Amino acid sequence: MENHLLEILCCPITRRSLQRVPAEKLQRINSAIKAGNVRNQSQSSVETILDEALMTIDGELVYPIVDGIPVLIEDECIDWSACRDAPAGSA
């Protein structure tokens, strides 16, 4: 995804700015996905590993990027704040 696009995008829920998810954090998110501990806003289990993603500047909400296109749909959003601090197997 191009940087100039990132400058104009915002979270459709909070209107906060978005940033790329750093590799270390993306790895933690993907580990939680592999463990079956991640649900999106529609409460569906997230099963697809993320190659890249965007997150709000506060780090709470994560939006997947699929084939280079940010999926800024509320139902597809991952509330990372709800599961990032949960013990493994309980999120």
Side-chain angles (χ1 to χ4, degrees):
M1 193 177 100
E2 297 183 26
N3 286 332
H4 72 275
L5 266 180
L6 190 56
E7 293 174 11
I8 62 173
L9 293 177
C10 70
C11 172
I13 298 170
T14 66
R15 303 290 184 235
R16 291 185 177 125
S17 297
L18 296 170
Q19 61 187 2
R20 293 176 196 271
V21 175
E24 178 184 305
K25 203 168 278 192
L26 190 62
Q27 184 178 20
R28 287 185 17 223
I29 293 168
N30 283 329
S31 292
I33 290 171
K34 287 177 187 173
N37 295 334
V38 178
R39 294 194 173 276
N40 60 24
Q41 289 289 84
S42 68
Q43 295 305 306
S44 297
S45 179
V46 176
E47 298 176 359
T48 304
I49 297 302
L50 304 177
D51 292 326
E52 55 183 333
L54 298 175
M55 70 179 2
T56 53
I57 57 170
D58 59 9
E60 291 186 4
L61 302 176
V62 175
Y63 293 91
I65 297 176
V66 178
D67 296 328
I69 301 169
V71 180
L72 300 178
I73 300 171
E74 289 183 35
D75 282 351
E76 298 298 318
C77 172
I78 297 167
D79 184 353
W80 184 239
S81 66
C83 59
R84 70 176 170 216
D85 298 322
S90 68

